Amino acid sequence: MTRERWEKLKVIFGDALDRQPAEREAFVREAVKDDPDLLPELLRLLEEYDRDSGLLSRPALIRARPLEPDDGPRFSPETVLARRFRIVRFIARGGMGEVYEAEDLELGERVALKAIRRHVAPDSELLPLFKKEIQLARRVTHPNVCRIFDLEQHEDADGGTTAMLLSMELLDGHTLSEHLRDQGPWSFRDALPLIEEMAAGLQAAHDLGIIHGDLKPGNVMLASRPGEARPRAVIMDFGLALPVALDSRGYSASRGGTPEYVAPEQAQGAPVTTATDVYSFALVIADMLGVPRPVRLKPGAERMPWRWSRALQRCLDAEPDRRLSRPAELARVLRESAGRRGRAVTWVAAAALIAALGIPASFFLAGRTKTTPAPELLPEAVPLTALPGVEFGPAISPDGRQVAFFWGKHEGMIGIYLKWIGSDTLTPLVTDRDNFTYSPAWSPDGETIAFLRRTLGNETWLYLISASGGPERRLARLARLADRGHLFYANHLHLSWTADRQWIYAPMSDGPDRRGTHRISALTGEMRRVTNSQEKVDIAPALSPNGRILAFVRQGRGEEVFRLNLTPDGNAEGPPQSLYKAPSLTSGLAWTP
């Protein structure tokens, strides 16, 4: 099927859905008289739509029960569900269920709580499949993806009906479809930042092996952020439209999606890939630019550069193998095209002005003194967190959007949490009530977090965990009970990654013969000693941005800050040089870029 015929099929199908169910078959038969080969596909789509109307076309939701009448919100304010969520207000109702603003009483955070409607909740046989898909969706932690937190079940006090509850990130804003309806399309320059954010969110999911399967303007939220004039694009409903493999009962995973945005292979029941999402993404971009349906991309003087048209046309190819397969690649092409167009316009205008004024070109080649403006200082401290208990050890992610930190309550240790800066969303990464878990450190790519754990036996170990969550991996022991005199310092260790994320510099106090800073392989846990402090303890290693200098603090009788030159393979190059003798406890060294 060519792209033109596929666009024609979607237009006819969309027009048919605007008619009464009894009129749809006659309408499509009349509409395809000039192309009768489209009729079987249209009739199949209508049959599936009638069967799954009001539902998500998903394996776990195939066995639906009759639709219950809508007689107002199911839960009223102040109702506590699953002994954890207190309903604050009703927000909206959709095909999947009702959405409420709720307070998570366990974490003290506001969340969006989706109460899945009884007629779409999976039965007991398919519940494990549904839970597995939700667990997969929880792995996507990205500022441009709406986070999914937990799946809970609430049972009425009388032991009657149960409700499935999905807690999600609470976003303040409106959907992309609402913006297009109320305010119209963007110019390509204004649309580009939002397109890049959507691409980043999609790419983060694809890198984890997750496909959205139902990308459309209604599933993109333009979320407001405190202190910023422009909202961020956040993709919603990951985990609610995830295609999965055919299971033993033969449920088709590749059906579903919204007809106006579905890719040909998805509608035809063929396997879906990342290119399936790219097809829908290109249609969403076309909507943002005001391109009418059927999509016939022609570059306009202001609306779209010609390279954008060419890139989007490639992404709308009927054959998945001929499309761009990575959203990040599409965003890169669009950004480069916009930059070329902007530079070309600027230089043409500048050349005309220079010629008119008669300024010689040599004037622009003369050397100049480059001045750097002073940094803008914040007028006051801005709190990032305000939780009950103790918070310390903050580590800002490489993209500057998240903070990882230790949070503990008086009744016991809690662990390491992530928080989006400017948002109230708090995500548990490592929870550990029996041990002391602390000192998170982001890898340079923002994908992995190293952290320390001191056990009840007073051993301190180095661990790794994905920033998206998942299983922990223990690398090396840094301190132990036998070296009891240095346990206080072991509680305040800091970690430093190399730029290639292959090695971690960490202080070691695992016995008198193993003190000093060590270089630890993030892959194997192999350790190499870099400094030898003997009677004292080296803490707070901080690797310079170019990886050639290690700064650290040597503690003992007094505090002293040192620098150590490193060879290209990360070993010591000569003895350390003293930089500063401190009169009191010193820690937490950091380099300027």
Side-chain angles (χ1 to χ4, degrees), residues 61-247:
L61 306 178
I62 286 289
R63 298 180 181 177
R65 289 172 282 281
L67 180 68
E68 74 269 17
D70 293 328
D71 52 357
R74 184 175 177 184
F75 302 110
S76 57
E78 301 301 323
T79 303
V80 177
L81 305 179
R83 295 180 296 179
R84 177 174 177 177
F85 302 103
R86 182 181 63 84
I87 300 298
V88 176
R89 64 185 178 95
F90 171 75
I91 296 178
R93 175 182 285 117
M96 267 292 291
E98 295 174 338
V99 181
Y100 300 84
E101 179 181 348
E103 180 184 4
D104 186 334
L105 299 177
E106 182 173 327
L107 298 180
E109 296 286 332
R110 293 293 176 92
V111 299
L113 190 66
K114 181 168 288 189
I116 301 175
R117 299 167 68 104
R118 285 187 289 269
H119 76 283
V120 298
D123 57 29
S124 58
E125 183 183 2
L126 297 176
L127 185 59
L129 174 62
F130 189 73
K131 288 182 176 180
K132 183 177 180 181
E133 294 172 359
I134 297 302
Q135 290 171 350
L136 186 65
R138 287 181 61 186
R139 296 175 56 194
V140 186
T141 56
H142 193 275
N144 302 116
V145 174
C146 180
R147 288 295 314 278
I148 293 176
F149 299 136
D150 287 301
L151 181 67
E152 302 274 1
Q153 284 187 285
H154 169 75
E155 187 169 320
D156 293 343
D158 57 5
T161 60
T162 56
M164 293 188 63
L165 308 173
L166 192 64
S167 60
M168 311 168 72
E169 180 182 3
L170 181 64
L171 299 171
D172 180 19
H174 54 275
T175 65
L176 178 58
S177 60
E178 290 170 337
H179 177 97
L180 293 172
R181 180 195 64 203
D182 298 337
Q183 302 184 42
W186 284 271
S187 68
F188 79 93
R189 293 188 186 282
D190 292 336
L192 183 56
L194 296 172
I195 292 171
E196 291 179 311
E197 289 176 345
M198 285 186 282
L202 267 183
Q203 191 62 60
H206 288 179
D207 289 344
L208 292 172
I210 298 172
I211 299 169
H212 192 289
D214 191 24
L215 186 64
K216 57 185 178 182
N219 277 342
V220 178
M221 177 71 79
L222 302 180
S224 301
R225 294 182 287 192
E228 295 193 16
R230 185 182 67 79
R232 65 182 164 113
V234 181
I235 300 175
M236 302 184 297
D237 279 354
F238 270 106
L240 304 183
L242 290 175
V244 295
L246 291 174
D247 69 3

Side-chain angles (χ1 to χ4, degrees), residues 505 519 530 543-544 547-550 564-573:
Y505 284 87
R519 192 169 182 251
V530 179
L543 190 64
S544 64
R548 297 303 304 272
I549 304 174
L550 182 72
L564 177 68
N565 292 333
L566 300 176
T567 63
D569 59 359
N571 296 316
E573 187 177 64

Side-chain angles (χ1 to χ4, degrees), residues 321-380:
D321 293 343
R322 293 203 290 260
R323 300 177 205 146
L324 294 173
S325 61
R326 290 173 51 84
E329 178 67 10
L330 174 58
R332 183 190 64 79
V333 171
L334 300 185
R335 165 60 67 182
E336 291 180 353
S337 300
R340 289 193 193 101
R341 190 177 197 235
R343 288 193 295 270
V345 171
T346 300
W347 280 108
V348 168
L353 178 61
I354 291 168
L357 296 177
I359 301 175
S362 58
F363 174 83
F364 297 95
L365 302 179
R368 286 181 175 75
T369 300
K370 183 178 179 180
T371 60
T372 302
E376 182 179 351
L377 300 180
L378 291 174
E380 60 182 354

